[in-house]
Amino acid sequence: MLEFESLINIPTPLIEILDDLFVENDVKVFVKRDDLTHEHVSGNKFRKLKYNLLEAKNMGFKKILTFGGAFSNHIAAVAEAGFLFGFDTLGLIRGDELNAESSPTLKFATQKGMKFEFVSREAYRNKADLTSVFSNEYFVIPEGGSNYLALKGVAELLEEQLYPDYICTAVGTGGTMAGLLSNVKYEGEVLGFTVLKNGDFLKDEVSFFLEKDFPENAELETRFHFGGYAKYNDELLSFIKTFESKHGFLMDQVYTGKMFFGVYQMIKEGYFKKGTRIMLLHTGGLQGRLSGL
Ligand SMILES: *Cc1c(COP(=O)(O)O)cnc(C)c1O
């Protein structure tokens, strides 16, 4: 067995947050604090890694290969997981002009023992070719950590408290949203907030991971991308700052800030029925939080 539960802080707490807006609209809002899963590497990336790591171990792999950009939460999580659970890790990083000093994420991953190959953007697009060179020796985890093994780890988090009426999550690749929907016991709604522009295609991604049509209890909200992946404006940053000082915990401007902003907006718009219990999944990502935000 992998000592997963002893090194990662799960189950994570569920806290209720209070706001006049929620009283006015008669909703209850809870935050599932997956940002607390680990001191350095918070959030859904560990949920997604759990069964991948177990599978790697069961198959006898000692090395893990994965992919990402220079600021990727997933790269940070794989590096930390390798360190904690005794795997050598190799990151194929997008951008052959980069080196191990190019970002705080890569510096952190280096400290955790990760090695890198820096590949051109063109080569990066052909991940299958790149992977074939390594796949005998390495257990390969896709970009963002999303695969069928990831779904199971995410589905588990719903078992840690009573089911809400809605669960809201930020959506990057769709793996986390699919994971929540893959829990067949949960019959509430899953509302995904895409963090990139033109996010409609993510419906197909979620379906792909689930191996079925986009479920009836799922909805994808594509309005709150703030110009695209990792883009932000003053309105978003000011929302985050106000929220943080009021509630005493942090969020990032790439994923969780956009989702929380979107939920507040939709509460204002009267989207949620009276009496609804809404759970916001804090997917972490604080290693990518803008410093001095
Ligand atoms: C990766 C990530 C997401 C998106 O998860 P997907 O499974 O790729 O949709 C959301 N929030 C944070 C903080 C992340 O790092």
Side-chain angles (χ1 to χ4, degrees), residues 124-284:
Y124 191 86
R125 266 179 240 123
N126 291 315
K127 291 191 201 66
D129 292 351
L130 284 174
T131 311
S132 63
V133 183
F134 296 101
S135 53
N136 288 334
E137 231 185 316
Y138 287 85
F139 184 81
V140 180
I141 301 179
E143 185 174 33
S146 291
N147 57 13
Y148 78 99
L149 291 164
L151 267 55
K152 191 171 164 192
V154 172
E156 280 178 359
L157 76 86
L158 276 168
E159 303 305 324
E160 294 172 5
Q161 64 286 304
L162 292 176
Y163 293 153
D165 301 311
Y166 272 87
I167 174 158
C168 301
T169 185
V171 177
T173 63
T176 300
M177 185 173 187
L180 295 167
L181 289 161
S182 75
N183 184 324
V184 292
K185 281 180 274 166
Y186 175 63
E187 291 174 345
E189 303 286 326
V190 178
L191 183 52
F193 292 79
T194 56
V195 300
L196 32 82
K197 224 182 189 158
N198 303 325
D200 287 310
F201 76 96
L202 284 158
K203 269 193 181 176
D204 296 335
E205 294 296 307
V206 170
S207 294
F208 170 79
F209 289 125
L210 289 171
E211 298 177 359
K212 62 176 192 184
D213 289 344
F214 193 71
E216 299 223 322
N217 65 333
E219 187 160 344
L220 204 61
E221 175 55 62
T222 59
R223 281 185 288 160
F224 302 104
H225 57 73
F226 290 88
Y229 183 74
K231 300 256 168 48
Y232 53 85
N233 63 16
D234 288 346
E235 191 185 16
L236 178 63
L237 298 188
S238 124
F239 170 82
I240 293 174
K241 269 188 262 187
T242 308
F243 183 96
E244 288 179 344
S245 59
K246 192 163 174 186
H247 297 291
F249 61 92
L250 302 179
M251 56 178 77
D252 77 302
Q253 74 289 351
V254 181
Y255 292 101
T256 49
K258 293 182 182 181
M259 184 270 281
F260 276 72
F261 183 100
V263 173
Y264 271 64
Q265 184 61 34
M266 288 172 77
I267 291 173
K268 281 183 203 153
E269 291 168 359
Y271 175 86
F272 299 98
K273 277 204 289 256
K274 291 201 184 312
T276 302
R277 289 167 305 142
I278 310 165
M279 177 168 119
L280 279 56
L281 177 58
H282 193 316
T283 43

